[in-house]
Amino acid sequence: MNKRKWVAYVMGLLMICFSLYFYYQFTDEYQTKITTMRTLKPLRPLQAGEVITNDNVQNVLIPVSAHDSNALIDIDAIRGKKLKVPLSTGEEFTAWKLADAILAPRPDQRYYAFKTDALQNVSNMIRRGDRVDVWVEFDKPRHSDDLETGGMWIGSVKLLENLLVADVKSAEGIEISDAYENGGGFSALNVSMLHNQEPDLNLIRASPNAKPELNTYIMNEAEYNVYVIGALAGKIKLSLANIMVENGGDSRISEQYLKYQGTEIFNKDLK
């Protein structure tokens, strides 16, 4: 009888131990599930302009508190996209950091290359895949006989909008990108990343690896013609929009140029 009681006690104790074990396993797993999650991060530091593939992305477990609520966690949502900005291995992929990776002309477009310099390229901040506006800056202000405004002096005219930059290269043929040594290039972004804020463009584009010499754009013939007319009339200047915001739509000839193309603002240089 004592033996049976002893066996019963042992069995009961084992059942209690097993129950406690499975309970703690369950609560630990549950706690892990509610405090951590899986997300996508670069397998290695990635440069601006690189295309996202399965080979340079890893699936990692992170605390929920460290997750950027705007991050894309589905590989299908980022595969084939191009990075607008450099990404360290500790960052997640968010929409504002990605752009369409296709930089090829349509049937009605061609590649056109033009001489440039760091000043024209917005203090050397233009990169492959950017969308830029193209302006002409006149040596002297020109008068417009605009009946709507009663005439005005014009110092510059926007020629093209949303023009796609296919390449930015140095005199040696090096593609202009941001140079980082020992990961230090990402340190300027750390404060912004900790607060899941979009970093400053001046911080992202602060370490170019060379000086720009040639810009290659994707244009149609009409856009190329407008660019050349502008270059004959004055000095070409570029402006860069916020790269954190997707600038949708195709390139186009500006309304401002279409308004002034038949006036003395341009024609007096071409007569």
Side-chain angles (χ1 to χ4, degrees):
M1 184 68 179
N2 290 336
K3 185 176 181 180
R4 289 181 178 178
K5 286 185 178 180
W6 183 82
V7 171
Y9 288 143
V10 171
M11 292 295 293
L13 184 61
L14 288 174
M15 290 182 65
I16 292 173
C17 290
F18 277 117
S19 297
L20 289 172
Y21 171 77
F22 286 115
Y23 171 76
Y24 283 115
Q25 283 287 98
F26 171 79
T27 55
D28 184 60
E29 183 178 347
Y30 177 74
Q31 186 71 17
T32 299
K33 285 183 177 179
I34 64 173
T35 59
T36 62
M37 63 171 292
R38 291 208 162 267
T39 189
L40 301 173
K41 292 188 177 184
L43 187 61
R44 57 175 175 78
L46 300 177
Q47 294 291 334
E50 286 198 59
V51 177
I52 307 303
T53 68
N54 289 339
D55 296 331
N56 55 24
V57 174
Q58 60 180 332
N59 191 299
V60 297
L61 191 67
I62 64 168
V64 172
S65 59
H67 172 61
D68 184 344
S69 60
N70 296 316
L72 303 170
I73 58 175
D74 183 356
I75 186 64
D76 291 332
I78 64 173
R79 187 192 296 113
K81 295 287 186 178
K82 175 181 64 66
L83 281 174
K84 291 182 179 180
V85 297
L87 225 61
S88 71
T89 55
E91 294 181 79
E92 294 180 274
F93 295 91
T94 49
W96 67 265
K97 300 174 184 176
L98 305 173
D100 193 338
I102 298 175
L103 293 176
R106 297 193 305 260
D108 64 328
Q109 296 176 321
R110 297 291 186 271
Y111 291 114
Y112 295 96
F114 299 91
K115 293 275 288 184
T116 190
D117 55 35
L119 179 62
Q120 185 181 113
N121 277 24
V122 195
S123 298
N124 202 359
M125 288 199 295
I126 304 293
R127 301 288 183 269
R128 182 176 188 266
D130 284 343
R131 293 272 184 177
V132 297
D133 290 345
V134 181
W135 295 73
V136 55
E137 181 182 283
F138 303 120
D139 293 334
K140 295 180 180 179
R142 304 188 178 187
H143 192 265
S144 166
D145 297 324
D146 187 348
L147 297 179
E148 295 179 4
T149 62
M152 59 186 300
W153 289 96
I154 303 294
S156 64
V157 172
K158 184 189 291 187
L159 303 172
L160 303 167
E161 297 176 337
N162 220 33
L163 189 62
L164 182 58
V165 181
D167 282 304
V168 182
K169 292 189 175 180
S170 70
E172 296 75 26
I174 299 171
E175 183 70 35
I176 305 299
S177 62
D178 294 283
Y180 299 97
E181 296 179 2
N182 302 321
F186 295 107
S187 62
L189 306 179
N190 287 344
V191 174
S192 294
M193 288 191 294
L194 287 174
H195 296 88
N196 290 328
Q197 297 174 352
E198 295 176 2
D200 191 300
L201 176 60
N202 292 295
L203 298 180
I204 298 172
R205 303 278 174 93
S207 304
N209 60 343
K211 293 182 179 180
E213 179 78 13
L214 287 173
N215 284 350
T216 301
Y217 304 105
I218 294 177
M219 301 176 170
N220 58 37
E221 292 182 1
E223 291 167 343
Y224 171 71
N225 185 57
V226 170
Y227 189 107
V228 172
I229 289 174
L232 292 172
K235 185 181 298 182
I236 292 293
K237 292 293 184 72
L238 304 178
S239 60
L240 181 63
N242 185 357
I243 64 170
M244 288 60 160
V245 179
E246 196 68 43
N247 298 311
D250 295 330
S251 57
R252 54 193 171 270
I253 298 171
S254 78
E255 292 293 330
Q256 192 178 22
Y257 172 79
L258 294 174
K259 178 179 179 180
Y260 293 124
Q261 64 175 335
T263 69
E264 287 293 305
I265 289 180
F266 288 99
N267 288 348
K268 75 175 191 176
D269 288 320
L270 303 177
K271 290 180 180 179

